[in-house]
Amino acid sequence: MIKDSNKIAIIIGERKIYYSEMLQRITLYSHFTPKQPKERTLIFAENREGWIYAFYAIWANKGIAVPVDASSTVSDVAYIINDCHPACIWTTGQKLDIVKAALQEAGQTVDIRLIEDYERVEVNEEKAQVNYEDENDTALIIYTSGTTGSPKGVMLSFLNIMTNKRAVYDEVPIFNDDRRTLILLPLHHVLPLVGTVVIPFYIGGGVAICPTMSGPDIIDTLERGKISIMVGVPRLWQTLYGGIKKKIDANALTRGLFNLCATLKSKSFSRFIFKAVHQKLGGHIEFMVSGGAALDKEILFGLQTLGFEMLEGYGMTEAAPMIAFTRPGDQVPNCVGIPSKEMQCKIENGEVCAKGPNIMQGYYNRPEETAAVIDKDGWLHTGDLGYIDEKGRVYITGRSKEIIVLSNGKNVQPNEIEYKLEKYTDHVKEAAVVQDGDMLRAIIVPQTEWAKDLSDEQVEETLKREVLEPYNLTVTNYKKLMSLYVYRGELPRTRLEKLKRYMLKDIIKGEAPVSKKEEKIIEPTFEEYQILKKYIEEEKKIHLRPSDHIETDLAFDSLDMVSLEGFIQQTFGTHINTADMPGYKNIQAIAEFIANSKTRMEVQEEDWHQFLHTDSSQLELPHGNRYMTLGNTIIRGFYKIYNSIIIKGKENIPANGPMIIAPNHQSFLDGPLVSCTLPTEVMKNCYYYATEEHMQGALRKAYARNNNIILMERNNLRGSIQKLGEVLKQGKNVVIFPEGRRTFSGELSEFKKTFAILSRELQVPVVPVCIKGAFEALPRSKRFPTTHQIEIEYLPPILPDSTLSYEQIANQVKEAINERLHA
């Protein structure tokens, strides 16, 4: 069961949810979840904190959870509704139209609950008991991904699930209550559901939710969450390792060090040599866990050479999911590990069979199909081919349904060939091998950017030369590829990146349906959308699609949203708060709202000059306190002793304001560094711009009000910028970190243009500040600073030029800092 405690249960972005609040929210969700025991409830939503509350609320009410792929179509959802007849569906606003259409197609009426309606509302002290009375009760129905046909509902009991927990907690202590797990993979699959939602909470370890699968979000979540356990699929590890190895191979020294580590096979030495790689990934990873498909041995041993503990699990949904897993320090090529103490494995006619308390109860309402995979003695026939060595290690040699059998009797494992094809050149995005008559053919998806201006014939000619010919020189005759097919779509895969091989022949025949990513985009023609599109494309220098989301696809930052808010208000006479923009499904949805609520339509540009020169004297500004000077003196003395701080360029600081002081952002030390190194009279007249997330809670907000800190309020971004403008108009100074957040690598990030707008429109000089050494003294992976020397240099002021754009002014400042940073 989930225990009440004052430990952090969930981290998502800046938000931290403790176990106490988590249980209260589960209780809240349980009030809106069917209370009839064994009642089925669907969860159809993207990964988010409310997904977890809804899931455990079902269990708290003794119900059966049915997680559904968030990318499912109307027909997919209708199929599951018709198959399991749920009493309730938890979903989100973004998926609501799909749910309604699916219910209509299924001809059913089901209660619908929106997850986001209850994520942030106030909760009372009532806390649910999430436990099971009978371990043989059905806990989940998980629908298989359908790689070979229509999905089947796999019924898993609490006993099935908890057998996995005992294996990786009691038997082999991979999980514990001090290790936080990353939630990255879609939770409708049994591997991430059991491995990143069930086990961590039942042992009290906690999780951090990554909002997307993008590299920056993963890196940010690894660091922010201090992640110890990362669960992924082979293609994730292939991408990660490929990116790291490419940088290593570019330098003779790092290549030599990598080869040395591969020879020594010392985890501690490898972690020392490749410390920067570990810090880039948050600095806390203890275990990387791979599942869902076979992991290539080069990736396995490559990541181990870098000092990571790479564990591989083997299983399937029908085994909840684990049949065998590798133990720390016992990685053997092509071995997927040893069964847990409660599991048995055997080989029958070359096929791996498994038996134990984690084997499913059966397929929902499909007794004949259940009997086809679980024999009368309780053995699950996996469909995988393999063998077991004398130490009980399980080796998988292929999947019986995937093996290509040629007319000469030779067997070919296509996945082995595909991995090799994808490694030959950067021009290959994906590859698949398919049998065509009595020969092997390769389907290759070329990299989009490389191939976009080339004909299929030109692409094919290049890939034959760079991929097919060198591959065929290295293999025996029966494994040679006789032809190549260029495919510009997306290979059909499940959400865990398994190839749907039964669909590959349709690609070669030209009968494959267009993938979702390649579907023709229907461009809205109504005028409000076209005006909005033109504005966004000119601002962001991109090609806009109606399905683009304001944050996840367009990467709008706070200032972009402020500009868009102003444009909408001026052009259409309606208002959308910046805090509400991410809640719209996409740009088309925003345009539709505008069309239904506009009071006028007159295209105007955002007039920052007029906005900043509007009377703002009535605004309430924060104020300083009489101890600021003393506090800065103490901090400066500390830095001089502890970090041997060097201060340069103070002569470049104007004696009188207003001015904008713009430092690069290396660490949490930067704010105090700037404050304590400024001349006293300048410092007394300085205001600091900080994000609201860093000042949450009554005490921190009180500190901000009394220490000249202006908060970037997401619900009133325009008001925050007005306050900055008012400070400068009063002759005071403003300290802004143009990057917005700390660096991940020590290098400069993109400079936001807020400070450039203020500088040009109010004719205020910018003083660039170069901070060196703070990243090394306190990188993101550290909690306490080291004694590394820090240098802070104030550079000559940059005077505003009204002929330059905001971007050009921002780049001027960035280039000045970058030049000193690398001097």
Side-chain angles (χ1 to χ4, degrees), residues 731-794:
K732 310 289 186 180
N733 312 311
V734 169
V735 177
I736 299 180
F737 291 96
E739 294 165 279
R741 63 178 184 177
R742 294 170 292 148
T743 177
F744 283 98
S745 63
E747 297 298 316
L748 296 181
S749 304
E750 177 191 359
F751 272 33
K752 312 299 183 186
K753 60 186 180 182
T754 307
F755 78 100
I757 292 173
L758 291 166
S759 172
R760 197 183 85 170
E761 301 306 340
L762 296 176
Q763 287 296 291
V764 174
V766 179
V767 179
V769 185
C770 178
I771 300 175
K772 284 185 185 179
F775 175 74
E776 290 78 9
L778 187 59
R780 282 175 168 260
S781 59
K782 298 291 183 183
R783 183 175 297 180
F784 301 104
T786 67
T787 57
H788 193 283
Q789 187 177 69
I790 297 175
E791 178 183 302
I792 182 165
E793 182 174 1
Y794 293 89

Side-chain angles (χ1 to χ4, degrees), residues 120-153:
R120 301 294 172 90
V121 299
E122 289 188 12
V123 290
N124 57 35
E125 296 298 316
E126 186 183 1
K127 297 173 185 176
Q129 293 294 315
V130 183
N131 204 354
Y132 51 88
E133 294 176 0
D134 185 344
E135 62 181 11
N136 292 310
D137 283 345
T138 302
L140 297 169
I141 298 177
I142 294 189
Y143 280 81
T144 57
S145 54
T147 56
T148 57
S150 62
K152 298 182 287 290

Side-chain angles (χ1 to χ4, degrees), residues 430 441-447 450-451 454-464 483-489 491 507-508:
E430 292 184 278
R441 297 186 68 179
I443 301 172
I444 295 185
V445 179
Q447 287 290 355
W450 168 69
L454 302 176
S455 67
D456 284 356
E457 291 75 18
Q458 290 172 313
V459 172
E460 183 178 344
E461 182 182 347
T462 302
L463 293 177
K464 281 181 177 178
S483 69
L484 180 150
Y485 182 87
V486 175
Y487 181 57
R488 295 185 187 256
L491 294 181
I507 291 177
I508 290 178

